[in-house]
Amino acid sequence: MDITLTSEQIKLVNILNHFFVTPQDYAAGKLFYTTMEVFAKLQSIYPSDSYSPEQVTEVLLYLKIETINGAADKIFWYLQER
């Protein structure tokens, strides 16, 4: 699936790469985030009405972040805060 990012989404990619990493084998702490948790974190860093949770999902898919499907159609993203 080819995803074309907007300039706003490219900003989100840069922010995510700065504040989150792919967990390592020795990772401790929180490792799974819902889309809304990632969105809320991005809003706390870069508050804007110019992006939505759907765009954050597209960015996470673009970055090929691993997922785990949860209950009630929730997606959990396998991430760790730096």
Side-chain angles (χ1 to χ4, degrees):
M1 170 172 59
D2 288 336
I3 297 175
T4 303
L5 299 179
T6 65
S7 61
E8 191 69 18
Q9 288 173 311
I10 292 169
K11 288 178 192 176
L12 298 178
V13 166
N14 292 328
I15 293 168
L16 282 168
N17 284 332
H18 184 76
F19 287 97
F20 288 93
V21 294
T22 301
Q24 304 300 317
D25 292 335
Y26 54 85
K30 187 169 181 173
L31 301 177
F32 298 101
Y33 293 84
T34 65
T35 303
M36 289 309 292
E37 288 174 324
V38 175
F39 177 75
K41 178 69 176 179
L42 288 169
Q43 281 289 322
S44 73
I45 297 165
Y46 173 53
S48 176
D49 290 334
S50 61
Y51 63 93
S52 66
E54 291 79 17
Q55 290 174 307
V56 172
T57 299
E58 290 175 3
V59 167
L60 293 165
L61 289 170
Y62 173 81
L63 291 171
K64 298 181 179 166
I65 305 298
E66 289 185 56
T67 62
I68 295 174
N69 291 328
D73 295 330
K74 281 189 179 181
I75 298 173
F76 289 91
W77 304 93
Y78 187 53
L79 294 167
Q80 183 178 24
E81 286 191 58
R82 290 186 190 258

